Structure formats: structure tokens, C-alpha cells
Amino acid sequence: MAITPKGMRALCRLRSHLHSHSLLRSCLFTRPLTTSLPPRNFLGLSKLWDAGAAPSTLKDHTPSPTVVTSLPNGIRVATVNSPGHFAALGVYIDAGTRYETPELLGVSHVLDRMSFKSTRDMSSEEMVRKLETLGGNVIAHSSREGIMYQASVFPKDTEAIVDIFSQIVRYPRILKEELDEVKEGTLFEISELAEKPEMMLPEALHHVAFSDPSTMEPNTLGLSVLCPPGMLEAMTPETLRKYRSNWFTPNRIVVAGIGMEHAQLVDLVGKYFADMPEPSKETLAMQASAAKPLYGGNVQLFDTTDMPPPSNPDQRVFTHVYIAFEAPSIRDPDVYALATLTSLMGGGGSFSAGGPGKGMHTRLYTQVLNRFHWIENCNMLNYAYTDTGLFGISASVDPDHPDAHRFVIPVLCEQLLLMTNRITDKELSRAKNQLKSNLLMTLESKIVEVEDIGRQVLLYGQRVDAREMCRRIEALTTEDLKRVARRTVFGAEEKSPLRFGGEMVDWKRSGSGEPTVVIQGPIRNDLKYLEEMASLRQWPIGRKNREAMQRQQYGSGQ
């Protein structure tokens, strides 16, 4: 189905924003459009040194355990007592855009932007002065599955930041004049992002993937984390308060810290949060009945031929192609195999200065970017959520090149099919090493480690540390990667045979195993051809196409 330039602009204005995840999500999965640092974890890099190094330099370091305590009202407190000159602390709320209803669209985004405004005990000016006095790194961040407030401060200021966060979470005044100010800035932010396809198109992909095929109305994960301009204009303080009363409840809150004693943080959270009332039975019933994601598996083309050129004259115009599939959730054991497969495939831009960690030996570099000079970018996509996910491939091509529109989909489909049956031990070893290296190198900042603690406790009720993650990655075989590729690309109905820990839960597919295809660019001259190619009928990709080809090849009776 083709969409007009006006429709594309409306969609760009309507949908997009932030994805924030646990350490597993940040290191193992694609992380689009975020204003916060990616979550990281810990584990001394000395564990990566050569085993033959001098014994005196190789001291076995056992990381401090993550300790979790639940307060009587349901708030959970989690800490790691890691020594250092700074402490990091965050408040993590199980909320976000997936829980927005039609009358509350965009509320998460606006609440994010209203974070450091007036509260019961502080004006916005006092709040800013207090934060400036503390120094450090203080951020607020919203996503599809969470809203968080976190900071890195001196240990002596731990109580001060807990006090500030309690004011933000529990006692915001949500003044009309401050909301009007936020609306103006948010509208400008949305208009700026609308000119950045690399940020908007993943949002369009979610919109198309998690929509009803008959109406194209998005659900849950298809809702964007950018507030629709129309909803932004009509939003009132009462709208924000209604959403907060539904989802900012103690049973959905984790306070995490690193660099302080567990008892100290439990006492502080008790002082500032313990009297937060528990949700009513009606609120708990509403939370339990929240809609679940429903994957549609749709195809949409956005023709930008008549759209004005980018405001930045140096910005080149490309045709962007995304092919994605419903994938195992972050709680499924195959999440590690899918992450390793993503690392193996790699990808990037056509120009790279090389160097460690650039993925120059990954498949998408050696088999796509180095072979087809008209492909500007080629990357894997991997978004993992609580109960489902998206996995796939994307490319940006020069629309003026005669081969670009004709061959880009065949090139991408070839790579998808190769994943299902051709993976070497050498490729697997390189992918494991690169993934574990990325995982460990993200552990050097306390503020990102604390995010990992908070999000994992929110998701699992416990924390899987980096050492255990590395063990699970190392246990994978080439058959595991090929199997998870078939599970996603073919829409195969099979459970993971891997069994790692009690926090893992087998994923149940919500859709029918069909692909989602999104194409955006100046494609008018090739529109009919691309519409036919986007159906992917020429490849055994997606359950329906694969079954049709099998019947054609072997006959319906065989």
C-alpha cells in the first residue's frame, strides 16, 4: 500500500521516540533514538586478559552480589556495593507508551519532559538550582516499556537525590504554564526529528508491525514514544495526572543504587517512599488487563518523491528498506542466540575508518557493503521487549543508481536465508567474542550499571550479571543460531531447547509468522515493482510464503 508524502509527514509527526532496555537489551540489541546513556553492566576486564599472564596480575575478582529488598508497599530496592568516588541511583517505573490508551497518547513523552518542573516542596527554579549544586549526571528518560529517573552523584549527596526523585515521582504539581512551555519545546523536537529518517523509520517499522492489518491502527508496541502533535495541543494537566494515577504505583517501581550500602538505600527509600499508598483493587485489575502486543505483519511503502528536500543541503536522500519479523521476547532463552546472530551479521555504513569493534569482518560488511557500492548502509535490527520482539535487516540505497531499487530486496533476502542454514564455527567464535567484548566494555560507568540493575529487577525480580550472560553466550552452538534464524525468518513454531535460568519464560508468538516490510524514499517510478517485491513472494520468507513454495515444490499431497 502506497502512502502519500502528506501521509508520510503525518506519520513522522505522529510516531517516534525512545527505546530503553536492560543491559541485555542495550548490549545485545539495537538501540534506536535515545537521550540517555545505554545500560551497561560490570565485570573486571582483567577476566579478558591472556590466561598465561603473570599470576600476580590476575587476581580473581568476584563482583558484589545484587541485593534486593521489597518494602511493605511493594517498592523494590536493589543495590550493588561497588567502591568508588561516585554513587549512582535511579528510579525505574514499569510504565511507558505501550500502556497508553487513545485518550492518553503521548503522555509518557510529555511526562519525561515535565520531569524537573515544580513539585510540592520546590519550584522549578529551586529544583534546577539544587541539581546544579549536586552536579553529576541527572537524566529522565521514557521508552515503550519504562520511565526512569537516574543520577550519578557524590556518595554524600545520596539522600539529596533520593529526596529530589521522590518529589518528581510522587509530588509533581503539573502546572498549566509549565506544561504550555513544555508543549512548545516538544513540538519543536518532533519537527526536528521528522527530518531524520534514521530515527523516524524504526518508529514507522513498529507502527506497521504492531498494527491491525485491516485498519492499520497501532497497538501497544506500535504506539510511538513521541507525542502526536494533535494530542500535544489538547493535553492538559489532568491528562498527565490520570496516567500517573494508573501506572505510577509502588508495585511497579524499583529504586536501584550502586556505590552505597544496601541498608542505607533501603532506609532512604523507606523515608521518602514507604508511605506511598498501595494501588486499589480497581487499579490492579486495570493494570492486569492492559492490552498485549499484537503483531500484524504488514507491508507499507512511503513515497517521498514530492516531499521538499531536506533543510540541510548536505543531507543526502536515500531509499530505505526494512524487513522485520516477530521475534522472541527478552525473557525467552533464545534471546542470547538472537543477540549473537545479530553480532555475527553486524553491518554499518559504506564508509568506516575500521578499528576494533567496527565489525569490518561481519557478514553484512563482507557480503553486502563490500560488494554493492550503491548500498550506503546495511544493518541488522533487534528490538526485544517483555513479551515479544522484532528482528530483521535494513538497508539505505542511492535511489538514482539503476540497480538500487531493483536489487536491494533480493540482496537482503539472500542474507536472511543464509542465516538459516550457513554459519561457520569461525564466524560464531568471532561473533561471541565481539558480543562479550561489547557487553563487558559497557560496564565502566556506574550510571549505566545502575540502569541495568533497575531494569532487570523490574523485569525479572532479580539480576543476571555479566559473568552469567557471558557463560550463556559461550554455551551457544552454530545450530542454536540457525535454529533461531528459522524460528524468526520462517515463522517456525518451536520452543527454545535452551534452559538457562528460572527468570526465562518461553515466548508465545502473537502474530502469524509473516514479515513486516517498510520502504521509504523517492520511489514513484519504481512503485509497482517495489510493491510486488515487498510481498517477498519470490522467497521462502515468512510462514505463508514458505508453505506456498513447499506445496509448489513437492505437491500438496506429498
Side-chain angles (χ1 to χ4, degrees), residues 15 100-108 223 227-228 231-232 235:
R15 309 275 180 229
E100 293 174 355
T101 55
E103 68 274 13
L104 297 176
L105 287 179
V107 168
S108 301
L223 301 174
C227 182
M231 296 298 296
L232 184 63
M235 196 167 292

Side-chain angles (χ1 to χ4, degrees), residues 47-304:
K47 305 302 290 183
L48 296 179
W49 293 350
D50 182 78
S56 61
T57 66
L58 283 178
K59 296 179 180 179
D60 186 20
H61 171 62
T62 301
S64 300
T66 302
V67 184
V68 182
T69 296
S70 293
L71 300 187
N73 63 355
I75 289 180
R76 286 161 289 176
V77 182
T79 64
V80 169
N81 187 12
S82 176
H85 297 293
F86 296 94
L89 184 137
V91 179
Y92 305 89
I93 304 171
D94 184 4
T97 56
R98 69 170 288 171
Y99 301 112
E100 293 174 355
T101 55
E103 68 274 13
L104 297 176
L105 287 179
V107 168
S108 301
H109 182 196
V110 177
L111 281 174
D112 176 344
R113 299 302 182 260
M114 289 286 290
S115 296
F116 304 108
K117 301 299 182 181
S118 298
T119 67
R120 183 192 66 180
D121 298 338
M122 300 181 219
S123 68
S124 60
E125 291 80 10
E126 290 171 331
M127 173 81 72
V128 170
R129 281 199 298 270
K130 210 165 188 179
L131 291 171
E132 288 176 342
T133 301
L134 293 176
N137 183 349
V138 183
I139 59 174
H141 173 70
S142 64
S143 70
R144 282 185 164 81
E145 293 196 316
I147 295 175
M148 75 176 192
Y149 309 91
Q150 64 181 30
S152 177
V153 296
F154 290 111
K156 66 181 180 62
D157 295 322
T158 299
E159 181 169 1
I161 199 65
V162 173
D163 181 16
I164 289 174
F165 284 163
S166 73
Q167 290 286 316
I168 293 170
V169 172
R170 300 189 60 188
Y171 308 116
R173 295 182 65 190
I174 314 182
L175 302 175
K176 183 179 185 302
E177 56 270 27
E178 292 181 343
L179 178 57
D180 289 341
E181 179 186 335
V182 165
K183 285 181 180 180
E184 185 177 347
T186 303
L187 195 60
F188 176 78
E189 174 192 3
I190 295 170
S191 64
E192 286 284 290
L193 290 174
E195 294 194 9
K196 298 179 179 179
E198 70 279 6
M199 295 184 175
M200 299 304 295
L201 282 168
E203 293 299 313
L205 179 69
H206 281 78
H207 176 104
V208 175
F210 295 99
S211 289
D212 184 327
S214 60
T215 64
M216 289 310 297
E217 285 297 319
N219 65 82
T220 58
L221 297 174
L223 301 174
S224 174
V225 282
L226 273 188
C227 182
M231 296 298 296
L232 184 63
E233 295 171 7
M235 196 167 292
T236 65
E238 288 69 32
T239 311
L240 303 184
R241 293 187 186 111
K242 181 178 180 180
Y243 182 87
R244 284 175 43 82
S245 68
N246 288 342
W247 301 105
F248 280 49
T249 55
N251 59 308
R252 305 179 74 86
I253 294 176
V254 169
V255 181
I258 182 169
M260 72 280 293
E261 294 288 342
H262 183 72
Q264 177 193 6
L265 187 57
V266 170
D267 289 343
L268 290 174
V269 175
K271 178 178 178 180
Y272 291 100
F273 287 90
D275 61 341
M276 191 173 182
E278 297 180 42
S280 65
K281 291 182 179 179
E282 293 76 16
T283 299
L284 287 173
M286 180 276 302
Q287 292 174 353
S289 64
K292 303 296 184 184
L294 181 61
Y295 176 83
N298 304 297
V299 177
Q300 284 205 356
L301 281 69
F302 304 104
D303 182 13
T304 63

